[in-house]
Amino acid sequence: MLFVLLAILIVPRTAAFSVSKSFTEIGPLKAAMLTKQWQGLLQEVDQKVGIVPELGSTSVGVKRFGPELKRRTLCKRQYERLYENTFALAMADKSTTPDIARAKRLLVPNLVVDGQARGAHCDTFASLTSPTTIALVETLPDEWSILALIVNPTERNIDTIAAAEYAMIDALISQAQALETGSSSVRLLAEARETLAGSSEQLGIAPIDNSSDATADGEKTVWFRCQS
Protein backbone atom coordinates (compact mmCIF):
# COMPACT_ATOMS: atom_id res chain seq x y z
CA MET A 1 0.00 0.00 0.00
CA LEU A 2 2.80 2.40 0.93
CA PHE A 3 4.64 1.56 -2.32
CA VAL A 4 1.51 2.45 -4.30
CA LEU A 5 1.21 5.75 -2.45
CA LEU A 6 4.84 6.56 -3.16
CA ALA A 7 4.40 5.72 -6.83
CA ILE A 8 1.67 8.35 -6.97
CA LEU A 9 3.63 10.93 -5.02
CA ILE A 10 6.98 10.66 -6.76
CA VAL A 11 7.62 12.96 -9.71
CA PRO A 12 10.39 12.65 -12.29
CA ARG A 13 13.72 14.37 -11.68
CA THR A 14 14.82 16.91 -14.30
CA ALA A 15 17.09 15.88 -17.14
CA ALA A 16 20.01 17.71 -15.52
CA PHE A 17 20.44 14.82 -13.09
CA SER A 18 21.14 11.11 -13.43
CA VAL A 19 18.27 9.36 -11.66
CA SER A 20 18.26 5.86 -10.27
CA LYS A 21 15.02 3.98 -9.74
CA SER A 22 15.44 4.20 -5.97
CA PHE A 23 16.28 7.91 -5.66
CA THR A 24 14.44 10.95 -6.98
CA GLU A 25 13.41 14.50 -6.25
CA ILE A 26 9.85 15.08 -5.11
CA GLY A 27 7.84 18.27 -4.79
CA PRO A 28 7.59 19.88 -1.34
CA LEU A 29 3.83 19.33 -1.15
CA LYS A 30 4.24 15.60 -1.81
CA ALA A 31 6.98 15.48 0.82
CA ALA A 32 4.69 17.26 3.27
CA MET A 33 1.83 14.81 2.61
CA LEU A 34 4.05 11.79 3.20
CA THR A 35 5.65 13.32 6.29
CA LYS A 36 2.20 14.02 7.72
CA GLN A 37 1.27 10.37 7.22
CA TRP A 38 4.49 9.27 8.90
CA GLN A 39 3.79 11.49 11.90
CA GLY A 40 0.76 9.34 12.69
CA LEU A 41 2.71 6.13 12.10
CA LEU A 42 5.53 7.32 14.38
CA GLN A 43 3.19 7.73 17.33
CA GLU A 44 1.65 4.32 16.70
CA VAL A 45 4.93 2.47 16.21
CA ASP A 46 6.57 4.01 19.26
CA GLN A 47 4.24 1.87 21.37
CA LYS A 48 5.51 -1.29 19.65
CA VAL A 49 9.17 -2.05 20.08
CA GLY A 50 9.36 -5.53 18.63
CA ILE A 51 8.87 -9.14 19.62
CA VAL A 52 9.27 -10.14 23.26
CA PRO A 53 10.68 -13.71 23.08
CA GLU A 54 9.19 -14.74 26.40
CA LEU A 55 5.71 -13.79 25.22
CA GLY A 56 5.66 -15.38 21.78
CA SER A 57 6.21 -14.41 18.15
CA THR A 58 3.21 -12.08 17.90
CA SER A 59 3.92 -10.05 21.03
CA VAL A 60 5.28 -6.50 21.10
CA GLY A 61 6.81 -4.33 23.77
CA VAL A 62 4.75 -1.46 25.08
CA LYS A 63 7.20 1.45 24.96
CA ARG A 64 10.66 2.37 23.74
CA PHE A 65 13.32 3.12 26.33
CA GLY A 66 16.92 4.29 26.76
CA PRO A 67 18.85 6.07 23.95
CA GLU A 68 16.35 4.94 21.32
CA LEU A 69 13.51 6.63 23.20
CA LYS A 70 15.53 9.87 23.22
CA ARG A 71 16.25 9.59 19.49
CA ARG A 72 12.64 8.85 18.62
CA THR A 73 11.55 11.84 20.70
CA LEU A 74 13.86 14.02 18.62
CA CYS A 75 12.49 12.35 15.48
CA LYS A 76 8.99 13.42 16.44
CA ARG A 77 10.06 17.07 16.47
CA GLN A 78 12.02 16.59 13.25
CA TYR A 79 8.91 15.23 11.53
CA GLU A 80 6.88 18.20 12.75
CA ARG A 81 9.40 20.74 11.49
CA LEU A 82 9.89 18.97 8.17
CA TYR A 83 6.14 18.99 7.60
CA GLU A 84 5.92 22.67 8.51
CA ASN A 85 8.85 23.58 6.27
CA THR A 86 7.86 21.55 3.21
CA PHE A 87 4.25 22.72 3.44
CA ALA A 88 5.41 26.35 3.69
CA LEU A 89 7.66 25.86 0.65
CA ALA A 90 4.78 24.31 -1.27
CA MET A 91 2.51 27.26 -0.48
CA ALA A 92 5.25 29.69 -1.52
CA ASP A 93 5.62 27.88 -4.84
CA LYS A 94 1.97 28.55 -5.61
CA SER A 95 2.78 32.26 -6.01
CA THR A 96 2.02 33.96 -9.30
CA THR A 97 5.66 34.63 -10.24
CA PRO A 98 9.01 32.93 -9.49
CA ASP A 99 10.29 36.11 -7.81
CA ILE A 100 7.36 36.18 -5.39
CA ALA A 101 7.78 32.46 -4.71
CA ARG A 102 11.47 32.95 -3.95
CA ALA A 103 10.71 35.87 -1.63
CA LYS A 104 8.16 33.80 0.28
CA ARG A 105 10.55 30.86 0.53
CA LEU A 106 13.09 33.16 2.18
CA LEU A 107 10.52 33.97 4.88
CA VAL A 108 10.14 30.38 6.15
CA PRO A 109 11.37 30.89 9.75
CA ASN A 110 12.63 27.37 10.47
CA LEU A 111 14.88 27.50 7.41
CA VAL A 112 17.05 30.31 8.76
CA VAL A 113 20.33 28.55 9.59
CA ASP A 114 23.64 30.22 10.44
CA GLY A 115 21.84 33.53 10.16
CA GLN A 116 20.99 32.83 6.52
CA ALA A 117 17.56 32.23 5.00
CA ARG A 118 18.00 28.98 3.04
CA GLY A 119 14.50 28.31 1.78
CA ALA A 120 15.05 29.73 -1.70
CA HIS A 121 17.24 26.83 -2.80
CA CYS A 122 15.68 23.99 -0.82
CA ASP A 123 14.68 20.77 -2.59
CA THR A 124 13.17 17.56 -1.26
CA PHE A 125 14.39 14.08 -2.17
CA ALA A 126 13.15 10.54 -1.57
CA SER A 127 15.14 7.32 -1.50
CA LEU A 128 12.93 4.32 -2.16
CA THR A 129 15.16 1.77 -0.51
CA SER A 130 13.40 -0.13 2.25
CA PRO A 131 12.65 1.71 4.46
CA THR A 132 11.91 4.86 2.49
CA THR A 133 13.68 8.09 3.47
CA ILE A 134 13.02 11.78 2.79
CA ALA A 135 15.56 14.61 2.92
CA LEU A 136 15.26 18.40 2.78
CA VAL A 137 18.39 19.83 1.18
CA GLU A 138 19.66 23.29 0.30
CA THR A 139 21.21 22.78 -3.14
CA LEU A 140 23.75 25.47 -3.93
CA PRO A 141 26.25 25.11 -6.82
CA ASP A 142 29.25 24.67 -4.52
CA GLU A 143 27.65 22.89 -1.57
CA TRP A 144 24.59 20.89 -0.63
CA SER A 145 23.33 21.11 2.96
CA ILE A 146 21.11 18.39 4.41
CA LEU A 147 18.73 20.22 6.74
CA ALA A 148 16.53 17.24 7.62
CA LEU A 149 16.51 13.49 6.97
CA ILE A 150 13.73 11.19 8.12
CA VAL A 151 13.04 7.47 7.77
CA ASN A 152 9.73 5.62 7.52
CA PRO A 153 8.95 5.05 11.23
CA THR A 154 7.48 1.58 10.73
CA GLU A 155 11.02 0.17 10.47
CA ARG A 156 12.30 -0.85 13.92
CA ASN A 157 15.61 -2.54 13.15
CA ILE A 158 18.38 -0.06 13.97
CA ASP A 159 20.87 -1.50 11.47
CA THR A 160 18.28 -1.34 8.69
CA ILE A 161 17.44 2.25 9.57
CA ALA A 162 21.13 3.18 9.55
CA ALA A 163 21.59 1.54 6.16
CA ALA A 164 18.67 3.56 4.74
CA GLU A 165 20.12 6.77 6.17
CA TYR A 166 23.48 6.03 4.56
CA ALA A 167 21.78 5.19 1.24
CA MET A 168 20.16 8.63 1.19
CA ILE A 169 23.37 10.45 2.12
CA ASP A 170 25.36 8.51 -0.47
CA ALA A 171 22.76 9.22 -3.17
CA LEU A 172 22.85 12.93 -2.38
CA ILE A 173 26.64 12.94 -2.61
CA SER A 174 26.44 11.24 -6.01
CA GLN A 175 23.89 13.77 -7.28
CA ALA A 176 25.88 16.75 -5.99
CA GLN A 177 29.04 15.47 -7.62
CA ALA A 178 27.18 14.89 -10.88
CA LEU A 179 26.55 18.61 -11.29
CA GLU A 180 28.32 20.41 -14.13
CA THR A 181 30.71 22.01 -11.64
CA GLY A 182 31.59 18.55 -10.36
CA SER A 183 32.82 20.02 -7.09
CA SER A 184 29.75 20.24 -4.86
CA SER A 185 30.35 18.94 -1.35
CA VAL A 186 27.64 17.73 1.02
CA ARG A 187 27.22 18.53 4.69
CA LEU A 188 24.68 17.54 7.35
CA LEU A 189 23.14 19.87 9.93
CA ALA A 190 23.76 18.81 13.54
CA GLU A 191 20.04 18.98 14.37
CA ALA A 192 19.38 16.48 11.60
CA ARG A 193 22.27 14.28 12.73
CA GLU A 194 20.74 13.96 16.25
CA THR A 195 17.79 12.03 14.86
CA LEU A 196 19.81 9.51 12.84
CA ALA A 197 20.29 5.96 14.11
CA GLY A 198 23.60 5.29 12.36
CA SER A 199 26.99 6.00 13.92
CA SER A 200 29.34 8.50 12.31
CA GLU A 201 31.33 5.59 10.89
CA GLN A 202 28.23 3.92 9.46
CA LEU A 203 27.05 7.15 7.85
CA GLY A 204 30.46 8.33 6.63
CA ILE A 205 30.25 11.71 8.39
CA ALA A 206 32.63 13.77 10.50
CA PRO A 207 32.28 17.13 12.32
CA ILE A 208 33.45 20.22 10.47
CA ASP A 209 35.66 22.62 12.38
CA ASN A 210 33.79 25.88 11.92
CA SER A 211 34.96 27.74 15.01
CA SER A 212 35.73 30.76 12.83
CA ASP A 213 32.03 30.94 11.90
CA ALA A 214 30.84 31.64 15.44
CA THR A 215 28.38 34.48 15.83
CA ALA A 216 28.96 37.57 17.96
CA ASP A 217 27.49 35.86 21.03
CA GLY A 218 29.82 32.88 20.60
CA GLU A 219 27.22 30.47 19.25
CA LYS A 220 27.88 28.44 16.13
CA THR A 221 25.99 25.94 14.03
CA VAL A 222 27.65 22.54 13.88
CA TRP A 223 27.84 20.73 10.56
CA PHE A 224 29.07 17.28 9.59
CA ARG A 225 30.93 16.63 6.35
CA CYS A 226 29.45 13.74 4.36
CA GLN A 227 31.79 11.41 2.49
CA SER A 228 30.90 8.42 0.34
Side-chain angles (χ1 to χ4, degrees), residues 13-15 21 85 91 118 120 148 168 172 185 193 213 225:
R13 188 94 164 101
T14 63
K21 292 182 179 179
N85 290 337
M91 294 302 98
R118 301 183 182 274
M168 169 59 86
L172 289 170
S185 59
R193 197 281 172 259
D213 297 332
R225 178 64 60 209

mmCIF file of all heavy atoms in Angstrom, residues 13-15 21 85 91 118 120 148 168 172 185 193 213 225:
data_model
loop_
_atom_site.group_PDB
_atom_site.id
_atom_site.type_symbol
_atom_site.label_atom_id
_atom_site.label_comp_id
_atom_site.label_asym_id
_atom_site.label_seq_id
_atom_site.Cartn_x
_atom_site.Cartn_y
_atom_site.Cartn_z
ATOM 1 N N ARG A 13 12.630 13.413 -11.866
ATOM 2 C CA ARG A 13 13.719 14.370 -11.681
ATOM 3 C C ARG A 13 13.991 15.023 -13.036
ATOM 4 O O ARG A 13 13.733 14.446 -14.077
ATOM 5 C CB ARG A 13 14.963 13.590 -11.214
ATOM 6 C CG ARG A 13 16.109 14.494 -10.792
ATOM 7 C CD ARG A 13 16.068 14.723 -9.298
ATOM 8 N NE ARG A 13 17.351 15.241 -8.878
ATOM 9 C CZ ARG A 13 17.587 16.511 -8.639
ATOM 10 N NH1 ARG A 13 16.641 17.394 -8.823
ATOM 11 N NH2 ARG A 13 18.766 16.897 -8.222
ATOM 12 N N THR A 14 14.526 16.225 -13.051
ATOM 13 C CA THR A 14 14.816 16.913 -14.300
ATOM 14 C C THR A 14 15.961 16.240 -15.015
ATOM 15 O O THR A 14 16.744 15.507 -14.437
ATOM 16 C CB THR A 14 15.189 18.380 -14.013
ATOM 17 O OG1 THR A 14 16.375 18.379 -13.225
ATOM 18 C CG2 THR A 14 14.079 19.102 -13.274
ATOM 19 N N ALA A 15 16.083 16.535 -16.309
ATOM 20 C CA ALA A 15 17.089 15.879 -17.137
ATOM 21 C C ALA A 15 18.508 16.244 -16.738
ATOM 22 O O ALA A 15 19.462 15.613 -17.158
ATOM 23 C CB ALA A 15 16.864 16.258 -18.600
ATOM 24 N N LYS A 21 16.402 4.339 -10.022
ATOM 25 C CA LYS A 21 15.020 3.984 -9.740
ATOM 26 C C LYS A 21 14.684 4.136 -8.261
ATOM 27 O O LYS A 21 13.517 4.223 -7.894
ATOM 28 C CB LYS A 21 14.758 2.534 -10.178
ATOM 29 C CG LYS A 21 14.802 2.337 -11.689
ATOM 30 C CD LYS A 21 14.489 0.905 -12.056
ATOM 31 C CE LYS A 21 14.515 0.706 -13.569
ATOM 32 N NZ LYS A 21 14.231 -0.694 -13.948
ATOM 33 N N ASN A 85 7.979 22.945 7.257
ATOM 34 C CA ASN A 85 8.854 23.577 6.266
ATOM 35 C C ASN A 85 8.460 23.226 4.832
ATOM 36 O O ASN A 85 8.398 24.104 3.962
ATOM 37 C CB ASN A 85 10.307 23.171 6.517
ATOM 38 C CG ASN A 85 10.864 23.783 7.787
ATOM 39 O OD1 ASN A 85 10.383 24.808 8.265
ATOM 40 N ND2 ASN A 85 11.883 23.161 8.351
ATOM 41 N N MET A 91 3.407 26.112 -0.372
ATOM 42 C CA MET A 91 2.512 27.259 -0.479
ATOM 43 C C MET A 91 3.211 28.436 -1.161
ATOM 44 O O MET A 91 2.606 29.161 -1.960
ATOM 45 C CB MET A 91 2.021 27.670 0.914
ATOM 46 C CG MET A 91 1.124 26.633 1.591
ATOM 47 S SD MET A 91 -0.364 26.199 0.625
ATOM 48 C CE MET A 91 0.160 24.666 -0.171
ATOM 49 N N ARG A 118 17.579 29.991 4.014
ATOM 50 C CA ARG A 118 18.003 28.981 3.041
ATOM 51 C C ARG A 118 16.854 28.392 2.214
ATOM 52 O O ARG A 118 17.061 27.519 1.388
ATOM 53 C CB ARG A 118 18.747 27.859 3.773
ATOM 54 C CG ARG A 118 19.968 28.378 4.522
ATOM 55 C CD ARG A 118 20.758 27.285 5.207
ATOM 56 N NE ARG A 118 21.882 27.848 5.933
ATOM 57 C CZ ARG A 118 23.083 28.107 5.407
ATOM 58 N NH1 ARG A 118 23.301 27.833 4.134
ATOM 59 N NH2 ARG A 118 24.063 28.625 6.134
ATOM 60 N N ALA A 120 15.129 29.464 -0.259
ATOM 61 C CA ALA A 120 15.050 29.733 -1.699
ATOM 62 C C ALA A 120 15.596 28.588 -2.532
ATOM 63 O O ALA A 120 15.112 28.324 -3.640
ATOM 64 C CB ALA A 120 15.802 31.018 -2.031
ATOM 65 N N ALA A 148 17.370 18.225 6.934
ATOM 66 C CA ALA A 148 16.532 17.236 7.619
ATOM 67 C C ALA A 148 16.595 15.929 6.855
ATOM 68 O O ALA A 148 16.698 15.924 5.624
ATOM 69 C CB ALA A 148 15.083 17.722 7.730
ATOM 70 N N MET A 168 20.597 7.288 1.570
ATOM 71 C CA MET A 168 20.157 8.630 1.192
ATOM 72 C C MET A 168 21.344 9.583 1.111
ATOM 73 O O MET A 168 21.512 10.333 0.130
ATOM 74 C CB MET A 168 19.124 9.160 2.190
ATOM 75 C CG MET A 168 18.796 10.643 2.030
ATOM 76 S SD MET A 168 18.139 11.098 0.401
ATOM 77 C CE MET A 168 16.389 10.743 0.662
ATOM 78 N N LEU A 172 22.736 11.483 -2.280
ATOM 79 C CA LEU A 172 22.847 12.934 -2.378
ATOM 80 C C LEU A 172 24.269 13.347 -2.773
ATOM 81 O O LEU A 172 24.455 14.266 -3.573
ATOM 82 C CB LEU A 172 22.467 13.582 -1.040
ATOM 83 C CG LEU A 172 20.976 13.525 -0.685
ATOM 84 C CD1 LEU A 172 20.758 13.965 0.759
ATOM 85 C CD2 LEU A 172 20.156 14.393 -1.634
ATOM 86 N N SER A 185 30.205 19.780 -2.535
ATOM 87 C CA SER A 185 30.355 18.943 -1.348
ATOM 88 C C SER A 185 29.006 18.858 -0.646
ATOM 89 O O SER A 185 28.082 19.624 -0.940
ATOM 90 C CB SER A 185 31.418 19.530 -0.418
ATOM 91 O OG SER A 185 31.060 20.855 -0.023
ATOM 92 N N ARG A 193 21.443 15.407 12.334
ATOM 93 C CA ARG A 193 22.265 14.278 12.733
ATOM 94 C C ARG A 193 21.754 13.646 14.036
ATOM 95 O O ARG A 193 21.822 12.431 14.242
ATOM 96 C CB ARG A 193 23.719 14.752 12.909
ATOM 97 C CG ARG A 193 24.784 13.627 12.919
ATOM 98 C CD ARG A 193 24.875 12.919 14.201
ATOM 99 N NE ARG A 193 25.735 11.749 14.183
ATOM 100 C CZ ARG A 193 25.275 10.525 14.089
ATOM 101 N NH1 ARG A 193 23.962 10.296 13.915
ATOM 102 N NH2 ARG A 193 26.088 9.489 14.179
ATOM 103 N N ASP A 213 33.348 30.472 12.337
ATOM 104 C CA ASP A 213 32.034 30.939 11.897
ATOM 105 C C ASP A 213 31.119 31.301 13.060
ATOM 106 O O ASP A 213 29.935 31.538 12.866
ATOM 107 C CB ASP A 213 31.339 29.854 11.057
ATOM 108 C CG ASP A 213 32.115 29.549 9.790
ATOM 109 O OD1 ASP A 213 32.816 30.451 9.313
ATOM 110 O OD2 ASP A 213 32.023 28.409 9.296
ATOM 111 N N ARG A 225 30.589 16.875 7.744
ATOM 112 C CA ARG A 225 30.931 16.635 6.349
ATOM 113 C C ARG A 225 30.538 15.218 5.972
ATOM 114 O O ARG A 225 30.788 14.266 6.714
ATOM 115 C CB ARG A 225 32.430 16.834 6.123
ATOM 116 C CG ARG A 225 32.885 16.559 4.699
ATOM 117 C CD ARG A 225 32.271 17.536 3.701
ATOM 118 N NE ARG A 225 32.651 18.911 4.024
ATOM 119 C CZ ARG A 225 31.887 19.963 3.744
ATOM 120 N NH1 ARG A 225 30.692 19.783 3.160
ATOM 121 N NH2 ARG A 225 32.285 21.185 4.041
#
